[in-house]
Amino acid sequence: MVQRLGSLWDTILLICRAEFEWTTTIEANKTFLLLDAMLKLKCTAGIVHLAMKLYPEQLLLTNHDGRETPLMYALKGGEWEMAQDLFRAEPRAAQIPDQWGRFPLYEAVARLSSSTSPNTSSLSSSFLHDLFLAEPQAATIPDPTTNLLCFQEAATTGNVQSIYQLLRYNPFVLRGSL
């Protein structure tokens, strides 16, 4: 596929490298995380999807400062559709916490619970369920930054739908929180 794109893809790579790292030189010991750069530069979904197919290993890598995977970055930025695309491409990314020990499920609950956007409510039920299934342990461990379980985080904003869903997925968390 890259051969057919030829110099266009090379140009995209150089632009991303120049914008993101402020250089076009390639350091031998450093992998350029194209997917991370494309997300941070807000590239179009089509270009990001192509990068996901060409560099699938980058879906599981944290950025150079070790903060987050592309999935976590998209969730923190409220990019719900992109987060779902990243998750579908590599569900194991839901098992990788950020530098603070927060799983993507925590971030999704926090963002969805505080969001008033109508397009996030349609995503919340299926996406929360998918994230939960990919890393069920995350629902039983308190968020290290808030010390709350996922359903408790949802309760802080009164998002009844998220509270119900999270408890339905794992009702056993009530045993330790009462």
Side-chain angles (χ1 to χ4, degrees):
M1 184 182 327
V2 174
Q3 287 97 4
R4 282 192 268 158
L5 289 173
S7 64
L8 174 61
W9 186 251
D10 292 337
T11 303
I12 291 169
L13 290 174
L14 281 175
I15 290 170
C16 284
R17 183 177 293 276
E19 275 294 315
F20 190 68
E21 293 186 342
W22 294 87
T23 182
T24 56
T25 60
I26 299 171
E27 296 177 33
N29 63 346
K30 186 176 178 184
T31 302
F32 178 59
L33 298 175
L34 179 64
L35 195 51
D36 182 53
M38 287 183 161
L39 290 170
K40 289 180 178 168
L41 294 171
K42 307 260 186 245
C43 289
T44 64
I47 300 271
V48 174
H49 289 144
L50 180 58
M52 288 164 45
K53 288 181 180 165
L54 294 174
Y55 305 99
E57 70 283 357
Q58 291 190 9
L59 291 162
L60 293 173
L61 298 177
T62 57
N63 52 16
H64 287 303
D65 53 8
R67 288 190 179 179
E68 63 226 354
T69 61
L71 173 61
M72 186 64 98
Y73 181 81
L75 286 168
K76 286 181 179 180
E79 302 288 335
W80 306 114
E81 302 223 3
M82 182 56 68
Q84 281 194 299
D85 293 344
L86 291 162
F87 176 79
R88 278 190 220 109
E90 185 49 84
R92 293 178 300 166
Q95 301 168 355
I96 303 171
D98 65 12
Q99 74 179 45
W100 297 279
R102 299 183 79 231
F103 287 96
L105 180 63
Y106 302 152
E107 192 62 38
V109 168
R111 299 290 173 176
L112 288 170
S113 294
S114 63
S115 178
T116 56
S117 175
N119 65 344
T120 59
S121 61
S122 63
L123 295 175
S124 64
S125 62
S126 63
F127 193 35
L128 283 181
H129 187 249
D130 292 343
L131 287 170
F132 170 77
L133 290 177
E135 184 51 68
Q137 193 68 20
T140 63
I141 302 168
D143 180 332
T145 59
T146 64
N147 206 29
L148 296 174
L149 293 169
C150 289
F151 83 92
Q152 293 170 321
E153 175 71 37
T156 63
T157 60
N159 187 324
V160 176
Q161 182 181 5
S162 293
I163 299 166
Y164 173 74
Q165 289 167 349
L166 290 162
L167 288 174
R168 196 179 87 211
Y169 302 151
N170 189 4
F172 303 106
V173 296
L174 285 175
R175 288 185 185 160
S177 62
L178 294 177

